[in-house]
Amino acid sequence: MTIEQLYNEIGSNYQDILLRMSSQKIVIKFVKKFIEDNTFNELTVGISKGDLEQTYRSVHTLKGICLNLSFDALANYCSMLTEYLRTINKLDDNVYMMYENIKEEYQKVFIKIKELN
């Protein structure tokens, strides 16, 4: 799979990231680094512990990474959870449902990155 195909398959705009990073080689380098990043795991731990602060910090960081890489759908899911967490004082069922959306999209992106040539 090419990097452009990856972006198409995850519903993101390849031209957007290419303009921002200026070369396909740089895009590939940073996309591959995404699967080494531990932020999603930190989010999972925060959720499992019911830790609002860790959950917020992790999802906010993941949102920023996804925005920088133009992983649009994943960034949107992270943004929704980030904004929701600002309005509550403990994790609730809505948080867990939003996390499941993030987890599903994250796994989709992760698998596609592994398929890169």
Side-chain angles (χ1 to χ4, degrees):
M1 169 179 306
T2 68
I3 190 70
E4 188 168 3
Q5 288 170 327
L6 179 147
Y7 273 84
N8 289 334
E9 290 195 20
I10 65 171
S12 294
N13 187 334
Y14 175 69
Q15 295 305 316
D16 181 48
I17 189 67
L18 189 58
L19 283 174
R20 197 162 345 125
M21 293 196 175
S22 73
S23 86
Q24 185 174 17
K25 186 177 179 178
I26 294 172
V27 173
I28 292 169
K29 174 184 173 183
F30 283 101
V31 165
K32 286 185 175 182
K33 285 185 176 279
F34 179 78
I35 62 175
E36 298 170 10
D37 182 79
N38 201 34
T39 305
F40 178 76
N41 293 332
E42 292 169 7
L43 171 60
T44 301
V45 169
I47 290 281
S48 67
K49 293 189 323 189
D51 185 329
L52 178 63
E53 184 178 327
Q54 181 176 351
T55 299
Y56 177 80
R57 186 177 53 251
S58 299
V59 76
H60 188 269
T61 300
L62 186 59
K63 176 184 78 167
I65 293 167
C66 293
L67 287 170
N68 285 333
L69 292 172
S70 294
F71 292 163
D72 301 331
L74 186 52
N76 286 335
Y77 286 130
C78 291
S79 182
M80 285 187 277
L81 181 54
T82 299
E83 294 307 313
Y84 184 72
L85 290 171
R86 289 180 179 164
T87 67
I88 61 173
N89 57 14
K90 70 176 187 167
L91 303 187
D92 60 20
D93 289 343
N94 290 326
V95 171
Y96 298 109
M97 288 181 352
M98 287 185 226
Y99 168 75
E100 287 302 318
N101 291 333
I102 292 169
K103 180 179 172 183
E104 184 178 313
E105 189 64 28
Y106 178 87
Q107 289 170 340
K108 177 181 167 184
V109 170
F110 190 94
I111 289 166
K112 294 299 177 187
I113 293 171
K114 289 282 200 178
E115 295 175 0
L116 269 177
N117 296 333

